[in-house]
């Protein structure tokens, strides 16, 4: 227990941890504050103004259409060819309709908590995951690099216990931060929705769904932090984890995309990591194959492939187990010099 | 006297595709008695640090037996780790923590009282600089911090690898005094150093390692006596007679090394026989002095690492003796 508390203290004392925490909090606060200015609560007056504007635009459009038809008929009477300029039947068949001018189009943006907050959970999770990755990698990478790990092992010559305790301290910190900052994040957006948006239709079922989104976000932050920690421990350097992350991103998001495009692989995005991240947050990701469509024969429903969050769980779970198991196996076997 | 540290037949081989097989430890033996200050000497790359790292569980040996305080390693290492303080090679600490933070975290991990941190900071002379970041420390200050971290546990066995590295002359003398004081209080100290004069002054006994094997061990005086080899320096009235004298002595079975202005003889039991032998050849001695050996000359002789004019010795070039050629086994 003393080692766990020590490692928590060590992590909290580290400059990278403090700097990244400040950046994380400032970044999240900036996003929330900036977003609050973009939303405006709808009042009967703004709705009426939007309806009036929609109606006005509709009227103007009708007048313009009438003028165009009149010009066409006059030209036709002179024997001019009107079809090329005005279309068949002088465009009489294209009279503007009121439903073409919805009042919604003229309303200012209003944040809808129910519909849009899940997207902000993903933004939050990505931010905290980045924090966890960098702090986790640095926590163990710098320890290896500066000899701190060796010093610690001279005091506690149980390698797996030491590495496990460090990982536990990291995950506890990330868990605590995710819960606390997640609660503040939710409160901030609830406040924005209450004051400058809409909190309508927030049933118990919606809250349960948001809670599950939050749990998946939490799992993602812990997973990314653990993988960053494991990669840095494997390479005994923070840069190893950061380099691996850049490499994985380049291979997955650029290399594989190019390869599947060249090879003409159907639903190539199912081999791209970000598809699984998307499906993890949105519960599923639907891929389309427009190559199956023959547009010359009219409208087409393209072939689809569904990536579910359960599949994402398997992919990320395998990555997590692989990286952490390799880090512990190497820790057990390697000579420390 | 009971042994605090025992190593028997320790082997460690590194295998690399590029560099092939290298035997860092090749059946190394070592024994340190309780309450001693024991010098652990060897040229660069001889296996000193590998031995210490293996002993401390940082490196896995291929074979051999190790014990600290009577407990077999590495199995019992977690149990004895609390009684062993160690610094291995150059001191390495997290640069952005202060000395007090560094020691405080170690003390907490080791479940030691906080006041122990202040005690060791005082002991190594870092009390007034304890709040500063380690990255602002000089090498000598980092060395003091390393010694402080090793002393934090108030260990029964203290292992220090080059503790005087980077210390100023006053610091070296303080370190020497500290070692003596710790030893007098019952602590066993294993000291690895290249400052052989210091080792000779501080240590009760030594082990010398070369190419992964022990080449000498025992009390310092005993090691020096065993390798004094009855050396005698001879000068003649006429320097030009040196080759004739060297020839005469060699024919008489004396090992002779010719220097520009004198001869160095070894294996001479009675210096008077040299005087008589040369007088019989009409050569007259102006100086006949027994040469006292020091640890440095013994070290250079045993490890064959003395510089040779015109040659550049490589790191792994040093002596390797048969195990049977060393004195005793298990430090006996």
């Amino acid at each position: 227990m003393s080692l766990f508390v020590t490692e928590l203290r060590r992590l909290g004392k580290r400059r990278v941890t403090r700097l990244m925490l400040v950046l994380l909090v400032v970044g999240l606060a900036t996003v929330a504050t900036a977003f609050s200015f973009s939303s405006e609560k709808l009042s009967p007056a703004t709705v009426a103004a939007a309806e009036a504007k929609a109606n006005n635009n509709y009227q103007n459009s009708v007048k313009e259409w009438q003028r165009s038809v009149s010009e066409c008929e006059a030209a036709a009477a002179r024997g001019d060819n009107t079809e090329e300029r005005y279309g068949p039947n002088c465009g009489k068949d294209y009279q503007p309709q009121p439903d073409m001018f919805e009042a919604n189009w003229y309303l200012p943006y209003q944040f809808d908590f129910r519909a849009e907050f899940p997207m902000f959970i993903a933004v939050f999770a990505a931010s905290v995951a980045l924090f966890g990755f960098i702090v986790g990698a640095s926590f163990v990478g710098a320890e290896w690099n500066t000899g701190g790990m060796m010093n610690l092992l001279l005091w506690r010559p149980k390698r797996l216990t030491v590495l496990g305790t460090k990982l536990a301290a990291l995950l506890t910190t990330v868990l605590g931060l995710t819960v606390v900052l997640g609660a503040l994040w939710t409160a901030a957006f609830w406040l924005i929705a209450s004051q400058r948006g809409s909190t309508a239709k927030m049933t118990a079922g919606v809250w349960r769904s948001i809670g599950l989104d939050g749990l998946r976000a939490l799992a993602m932050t812990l997973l990314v932090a653990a993988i960053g920690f494991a990669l840095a421990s494997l390479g005994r350097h923070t840069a190893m984890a950061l380099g691996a992350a850049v490499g994985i991103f380049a291979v997955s998001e650029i290399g594989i995309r190019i390869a599947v495009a060249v090879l003409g692989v159907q639903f190539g995005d199912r081999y791209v990591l970000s598809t699984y991240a998307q499906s993890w947050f949105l519960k599923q990701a639907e891929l389309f194959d427009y190559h199956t469509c023959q547009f010359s024969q009219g409208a087409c429903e393209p072939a689809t492939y569904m990536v579910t969050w359960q599949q994402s769980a398997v992919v990320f779970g395998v990555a997590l187990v692989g990286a952490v198991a390799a880090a512990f196996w190497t820790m057990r076997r390697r000579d420390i010099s | 006297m009971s042994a605090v540290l025992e190593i028997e037949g320790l082997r460690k081989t590194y295998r690399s595709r590029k560099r092939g097989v290298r035997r860092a430890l090749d059946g190394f033996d070592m024994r340190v008695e309780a309450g001693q200050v024991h010098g652990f000497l060897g040229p660069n790359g001889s296996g000193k640090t590998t031995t210490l790292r293996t002993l401390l569980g940082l490196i896995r040996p291929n074979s051999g037996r190790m014990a600290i305080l009577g407990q077999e390693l590495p199995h019992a290492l977690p149990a004895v780790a609390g009684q062993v303080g160690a610094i291995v090679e150059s001191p390495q600490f997290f640069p952005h923590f202060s000395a007090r933070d560094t020691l405080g975290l170690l003390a907490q991990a080791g479940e030691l009282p906080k006041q122990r941190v202040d005690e060791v900071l005082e002991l190594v002379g870092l009390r007034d600089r304890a709040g500063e970041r380690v990255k602002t420390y000089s090498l000598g200050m980092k060395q003091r911090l390393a010694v402080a971290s090793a002393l934090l546990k108030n260990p029964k066995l203290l292992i220090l690898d080059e503790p005087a590295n980077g210390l100023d002359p006053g610091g070296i003398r303080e370190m020497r005094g500290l070692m003596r004081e710790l030893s007098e209080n019952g602590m066993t100290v294993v000291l690895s150093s290249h400052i052989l004069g210091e080792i000779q002054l501080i240590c009760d006994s030594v082990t010398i390692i070369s190419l992964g094997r022990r080449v000498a061990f025992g009390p310092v005086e005993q090691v020096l006596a065993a390798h004094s080899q009855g050396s005698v320096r001879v000068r003649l009235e006429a320097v030009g007679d040196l080759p004739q004298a060297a020839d005469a002595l060699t024919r008489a079975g004396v090992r002779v090394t010719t220097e520009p202005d004198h001869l160095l003889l070894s294996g001479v039991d009675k210096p008077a026989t040299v005087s008589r032998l040369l007088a019989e050849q009409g050569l007259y001695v102006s100086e006949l002095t027994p040469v006292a050996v020091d640890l440095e000359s013994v070290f250079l002789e045993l490890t064959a690492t003395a510089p040779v004019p015109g040659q550049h010795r490589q790191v792994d070039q040093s002596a390797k003796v048969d195990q049977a050629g060393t004195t005793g086994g298990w430090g006996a």
Side-chain angles (χ1 to χ4, degrees):
Chain A
M1 193 60 193
S2 62
L3 184 59
F4 177 71
V5 174
T6 305
E7 291 310 311
L8 277 180
R9 263 189 72 205
R10 191 193 305 276
L11 182 59
K13 275 181 171 289
R14 300 201 63 237
R15 204 171 55 155
V16 169
T17 310
R18 292 178 176 182
L19 180 67
M20 290 302 297
L21 182 59
V22 168
L23 288 177
L24 176 67
V25 170
V26 168
L28 291 176
T30 305
V31 169
T33 307
F35 180 70
S36 70
F37 288 112
S38 69
S39 178
E40 186 179 319
K41 201 173 188 69
L42 298 184
S43 64
T46 50
V47 172
E51 284 172 349
K53 193 167 184 180
N55 187 49
N56 189 40
N57 283 355
Y58 167 66
Q59 297 300 341
N60 288 340
S61 185
V62 169
K63 282 179 193 166
E64 181 62 24
W65 171 78
Q66 286 170 339
R67 187 187 59 76
S68 172
V69 170
S70 302
E71 278 180 13
C72 176
E73 286 173 341
R78 289 194 299 273
D80 294 348
N81 181 4
T82 59
E83 193 154 327
E84 191 175 313
R85 183 174 177 186
Y86 298 100
N89 198 21
C90 282
K92 286 177 186 170
D93 301 335
Y94 303 113
Q95 180 178 353
Q97 301 300 314
D99 61 0
M100 292 174 171
F101 298 85
E102 292 180 23
N104 285 344
W105 301 351
Y106 305 98
L107 287 172
Y109 171 69
Q110 177 183 251
F111 173 51
D112 181 353
F113 189 89
R114 180 177 181 274
E116 295 172 87
F117 186 62
M119 185 191 76
F120 285 98
I121 293 177
V123 170
F124 171 79
S127 306
V128 180
L130 182 64
F131 166 88
F133 187 87
I134 293 172
V135 169
S138 165
F139 183 42
V140 71
E143 288 282 305
W144 276 117
N145 197 32
T146 61
M149 183 67 87
M150 191 180 79
N151 277 344
L152 191 56
L153 289 173
L154 293 179
W155 281 70
R156 291 284 188 123
K158 289 186 172 178
R159 297 179 177 204
L160 299 188
T161 305
V162 166
L163 193 67
T165 306
K166 276 187 174 292
L167 179 59
L170 170 72
L171 295 183
T172 304
T173 303
V174 174
L175 172 70
L177 268 177
T178 309
V179 169
V180 171
L181 292 179
L184 290 172
W185 185 251
T186 308
F189 277 84
W190 180 259
L191 191 68
I192 292 168
S194 324
Q195 299 300 313
R196 300 178 68 88
S198 167
T199 55
K201 300 178 188 171
M202 287 302 295
T203 61
V206 173
W207 277 115
R208 197 178 311 118
S209 174
I210 286 177
L212 289 173
D213 287 347
L215 280 179
R216 282 201 303 277
L218 174 63
M220 178 58 82
T221 59
L222 295 177
L223 175 135
V224 172
I227 287 180
F229 179 93
L231 290 176
S233 186
L234 274 171
R236 294 200 276 190
H237 206 291
T238 309
M240 163 69 183
L242 303 181
V246 171
I248 289 168
F249 178 82
V251 168
S252 171
E253 304 305 313
I254 302 171
I256 291 181
R257 276 187 205 281
I258 292 172
V260 296
V262 169
L263 296 173
V265 177
Q266 191 180 27
F267 306 117
D269 277 6
R270 66 183 147 158
Y271 302 110
V272 174
L273 212 50
S274 59
T275 303
Y276 292 87
Q278 186 189 347
S279 119
W280 178 254
F281 284 117
L282 303 178
K283 301 185 188 79
Q284 61 184 34
E286 192 170 15
L287 308 179
F288 299 95
D289 182 12
Y290 289 98
H291 292 107
T292 59
C293 281
Q294 300 292 329
F295 289 107
S296 58
Q297 295 173 8
C300 165
E301 286 290 327
T304 60
Y305 181 90
M306 196 68 78
V307 177
T308 64
W309 70 268
Q310 289 92 338
Q311 287 173 296
S312 299
V314 171
V315 169
F316 293 134
V318 167
L320 173 70
V321 171
V324 173
F328 275 79
W329 186 81
T330 314
M331 179 71 169
R332 184 183 162 83
R333 300 284 306 167
R334 74 173 22 140
D335 287 338
I336 296 167
S337 53
Chain B
M1 214 183 269
S2 63
V4 167
L5 190 161
E6 298 166 279
I7 296 174
E8 190 177 40
L10 194 62
R11 291 179 195 278
K12 175 66 185 178
T13 303
Y14 291 105
R15 295 173 198 281
S16 157
R17 282 183 186 169
K18 281 185 182 173
R19 291 182 289 268
V21 176
R22 188 174 70 81
R23 286 183 185 152
L25 293 173
D26 191 10
F28 178 68
D29 298 326
M30 187 173 180
R31 182 183 172 95
V32 179
E33 307 290 350
Q36 284 190 339
V37 180
H38 187 92
F40 185 28
L41 315 177
N44 294 334
S46 60
K48 292 191 304 294
T49 301
T50 303
T51 303
L52 298 182
R53 285 180 189 276
T54 308
L55 197 62
L56 296 165
L58 300 174
I59 291 177
R60 290 167 174 273
N62 296 106
S63 63
R65 176 182 168 254
M66 299 180 290
I68 286 180
L69 298 164
Q71 303 214 48
E72 296 295 317
L73 304 182
H75 176 70
L77 190 57
V80 297
Q83 299 171 75
V84 181
I87 56 170
V88 184
E89 278 195 327
S90 56
Q92 294 179 318
F93 297 102
F94 197 66
H96 299 293
F97 285 177
S98 68
R100 180 166 276 112
D101 283 341
T102 302
L103 296 179
L105 288 166
L106 286 175
Q108 191 177 16
E111 298 175 348
L112 298 173
K114 277 185 180 175
Q115 68 265 23
R116 183 65 189 152
V117 172
D118 292 321
E119 286 171 16
V120 292
L121 284 169
E122 176 75 35
L123 207 57
V124 301
L126 282 178
R127 181 193 58 207
D128 298 334
R129 306 285 295 272
E132 296 175 19
R133 286 181 179 180
V134 172
K135 72 172 186 177
T136 65
Y137 282 13
S138 66
L139 178 59
M141 289 167 71
K142 285 178 188 167
Q143 199 69 48
R144 287 167 189 261
L145 177 58
V147 174
S149 73
L151 288 172
L152 204 55
K153 294 184 241 185
N154 199 12
K156 287 183 179 169
L157 172 62
L158 182 64
I159 298 173
L160 302 175
D161 194 2
E162 295 288 350
N165 191 18
L167 291 183
D168 54 30
I172 292 175
R173 184 170 285 191
E174 283 171 29
M175 191 65 74
R176 191 193 308 156
L178 180 63
M179 297 300 117
R180 280 209 185 112
E181 191 183 319
L182 294 171
S183 172
E184 283 164 11
N185 290 331
M187 194 181 289
T188 306
V189 182
V190 173
L191 201 57
S192 163
S193 176
H194 290 298
I195 307 177
L196 300 178
E198 281 298 311
I199 293 284
Q200 195 170 344
L201 279 173
I202 302 171
C203 294
D204 304 304
S205 58
V206 291
T207 295
I208 301 179
I209 181 174
S210 182
L211 292 177
R213 302 180 89 171
R214 183 173 67 180
V215 292
F217 67 95
V220 175
E221 310 80 51
Q222 204 173 306
V223 170
L224 292 177
H227 296 89
S228 65
Q229 297 180 338
S231 294
V232 174
R233 184 169 52 239
V234 177
R235 291 183 201 276
L236 301 180
E237 285 183 340
V239 175
D241 293 338
L242 284 176
Q244 190 187 342
D247 187 45
L249 290 166
T250 304
R251 275 190 274 110
V254 177
R255 289 196 299 278
V256 181
T257 307
T258 305
E259 301 292 343
D261 61 345
H262 68 275
L263 300 176
L264 204 56
L265 316 182
S266 55
V268 179
D269 293 334
K270 294 176 182 173
T273 57
V274 173
S275 180
R276 191 173 60 240
L277 190 67
L278 292 176
E280 285 170 4
Q281 301 293 320
L283 302 168
Y284 298 102
V285 171
S286 64
E287 182 188 331
L288 185 66
T289 316
V291 179
V293 292
D294 57 11
L295 199 52
E296 182 175 288
S297 55
V298 171
F299 176 88
L300 293 175
E301 181 203 327
L302 284 172
T303 59
T305 52
V308 177
Q311 290 185 21
H312 301 284
R313 184 179 64 85
Q314 301 304 302
V315 167
D316 288 334
Q317 287 180 352
S318 62
K320 184 172 184 176
V321 296
D322 286 341
Q323 196 73 350
T326 56
T327 325
W330 273 96

